[in-house]
Amino acid sequence: MTRGLAYESLKDYRAAILDYTVAIELNPQYERSYLHRGLARLKSNQAQEAIADFDKVISINTNDNVAYLNRGAAKENLGDLSGALNDCQEALRLNPQDAAARQCVDRLKTRK
């Protein structure tokens, strides 16, 4: 997974996704691999695939506010503003101090 993070920092999202996929095959219950693959997919304009990864993170750890927040971003990219708002609100509920979640909720409330 470390190499995937390095590829991601270089904006080589295709290589990062491949490395995260290998990490998932080696340890399918390690949620961080799904989270990072989802982030790389989101940055690669693969919002639907990113949602699937964030769904998996949430199925492993229902308290992962970062997964909710990023799933909300992916839904927003796909035009699902209601679903995006729900996810950002859940991220904020899980971590009331999360400024990004607060901004997401505020932004989506004005767009709804």
Side-chain angles (χ1 to χ4, degrees):
M1 187 160 126
T2 303
R3 193 171 62 185
L5 292 169
Y7 284 133
E8 197 171 345
S9 72
L10 295 171
K11 297 185 180 356
D12 187 349
Y13 301 121
R14 188 184 72 69
I17 291 166
L18 290 173
D19 269 24
Y20 296 139
T21 300
V22 170
I24 288 166
E25 289 168 357
L26 294 172
N27 186 355
Q29 290 304 306
Y30 185 60
E31 67 193 74
R32 297 289 101 184
S33 298
Y34 293 99
L35 180 69
H36 285 286
R37 186 173 70 177
L39 291 169
R41 285 176 163 174
L42 187 58
K43 292 172 186 172
S44 298
N45 297 314
Q46 299 174 25
Q48 199 63 53
E49 294 85 352
I51 289 170
D53 282 336
F54 299 136
D55 285 345
K56 184 63 178 179
V57 174
I58 292 165
S59 76
I60 295 169
N61 178 3
T62 59
N63 294 317
D64 192 316
N65 70 302
V66 175
Y68 281 103
L69 181 62
N70 285 292
R71 188 173 72 174
K75 287 180 179 180
E76 184 177 8
N77 287 352
L78 293 174
D80 179 6
L81 299 183
S82 177
L85 178 58
N86 288 339
D87 280 347
C88 290
Q89 287 173 326
E90 182 62 13
L92 187 60
R93 185 190 72 75
L94 291 168
N95 183 359
Q97 271 63 58
D98 189 332
R102 168 56 57 205
Q103 290 172 347
C104 180
V105 168
D106 292 345
R107 181 182 68 253
L108 288 167
K109 281 186 174 179
T110 62
R111 290 186 65 193
K112 200 167 175 198

